[in-house]
Amino acid sequence: MARQARIIIPGCAHYVIHRARPGVPLFRNERDHARYRALLTEEAAMHAVAVNTASLGPDHVELLLTPQTRESLSRAVGETHRLYARHRDLGAGALWAGRFQSCPVAPALASAGLADIRPVLLAAASRGRPVGDPAFIARVESETGRNFTPRRRGRKPKW
């Protein structure tokens, strides 16, 4: 089954979460934290992405980023994580668990901060759905041509 393309809305904040592989510490010391932040700042500037918030956990990173083009989010995050894995002397496949997850966030929620809306963002990012009021979700649907309204669960009736 083919994977769904990421939803990227230029000029809109996006919540990004990427976890380390189980049993692999992502950051060993303050030097690792500083190196990751420096790489993120450099790659974000290079690929036209604004860094709103960066929360670095022991086994994951949570970011709130605003890309200026459709490709810039994937390029900035992907290159940051590839270079950070090289800094740790590991391959990207040995450090990071799969692809990073992301979802667009309505401007009203993006200004609230990660701590206040973390549970909502985690659920939405795992499903790849936008987070916000119905007007924001309608805007994302019209820009992407995809439907994000939850549908009835289960098999379709055979009639």
Side-chain angles (χ1 to χ4, degrees):
M1 181 174 180
R3 61 185 178 210
Q4 289 280 336
R6 286 194 179 97
I7 307 162
I8 306 294
I9 307 296
C12 179
H14 288 70
Y15 172 73
V16 174
I17 184 166
H18 203 177
R19 298 184 187 283
R21 291 179 60 95
V24 179
L26 193 54
F27 302 105
R28 298 169 296 190
N29 51 37
E30 192 55 42
R31 182 174 163 254
D32 286 347
H33 281 272
R35 181 65 181 152
Y36 181 86
R37 287 186 189 279
L39 286 171
L40 179 64
T41 302
E42 181 180 317
E43 292 301 321
M46 187 181 304
H47 295 287
V49 175
V51 179
N52 303 336
T53 306
S55 173
L56 309 180
D59 63 345
H60 69 283
V61 294
E62 290 180 274
L63 311 169
L64 198 58
L65 307 173
T66 305
Q68 298 307 312
T69 66
R70 291 203 185 277
E71 299 82 26
S72 60
L73 181 71
S74 294
R75 291 195 176 147
V77 174
E79 193 65 12
T80 298
H81 291 183
R82 186 184 68 77
L83 291 172
Y84 181 71
R86 183 187 291 174
H87 161 77
R88 289 283 313 273
D89 291 327
L90 299 168
L95 180 61
W96 300 102
R99 302 172 73 213
F100 69 86
Q101 298 171 331
S102 67
C103 64
V105 180
L109 291 175
S111 63
L114 287 177
D116 299 334
I117 55 174
R118 182 171 278 123
V120 174
L121 292 173
L122 287 170
S126 67
R127 288 188 232 107
R129 293 178 181 249
V131 178
D133 59 351
F136 175 74
I137 292 175
R139 176 184 148 209
V140 173
E141 287 178 341
S142 69
E143 287 188 29
T144 61
R146 291 168 57 183
N147 184 6
F148 298 109
T149 306
R151 291 185 230 140
R152 203 172 127 213
R153 295 181 66 162
R155 295 181 95 167
K156 286 198 237 178
K158 291 188 177 184
W159 31 4

